[in-house]
Amino acid sequence: MIDWGTILYGAILSAVIAAFALVIIGERRAPVLSVGTLSALIAPISWNAILRATHARQFFTDAPIAALPASWQDTGSGVFTLALACLLLAVIVPQEPLRRAVLRT
């Protein structure tokens, strides 16, 4: 089981990378930048809090891929982040269909 320091470090790093990636791809709308960054921060913390509360140690099994040994815990963090980002975008940018809010089409 990973400790809270590692969880917070990973979440902060994810949020910084998400913000940077959004700017790199040309996103300039403050609501979308905020949602992407906050989702990448809040969702992994929430998912890992659930894993810690339920003592779900089996989620920390790495995939047998040497180049990217992601675990089920990492996958859950990604799923939580995507779900939270979609929900927040639907609430914060309701005047646009979600597809257009995300893809800027």
Side-chain angles (χ1 to χ4, degrees):
M1 192 71 53
I2 59 177
D3 61 28
W4 280 109
T6 303
I7 291 169
L8 293 175
Y9 172 76
I12 291 168
L13 187 59
S14 294
V16 169
I17 291 170
F20 183 71
L22 286 167
V23 170
I24 290 296
I25 65 169
E27 184 56 61
R28 299 291 184 257
R29 295 172 292 173
V32 176
L33 287 169
S34 299
V35 164
T37 303
L38 289 175
S39 295
L41 176 70
I42 295 168
I45 293 171
S46 301
W47 173 243
N48 281 291
I50 291 168
L51 293 179
R52 287 184 62 82
T54 60
H55 307 288
R57 287 173 174 68
Q58 66 273 18
F59 276 85
F60 294 90
T61 303
D62 288 342
I65 304 168
L68 182 66
S71 66
W72 287 111
Q73 173 267 344
D74 298 321
T75 303
S77 292
V79 170
F80 258 52
T81 301
L82 180 61
L84 181 60
C86 289
L87 288 171
L88 290 176
L89 282 173
V91 170
I92 292 174
V93 193
Q95 68 275 16
E96 292 187 51
L98 189 56
R99 180 174 179 266
R100 189 170 36 213
V102 174
L103 300 177
R104 294 175 39 156
T105 57

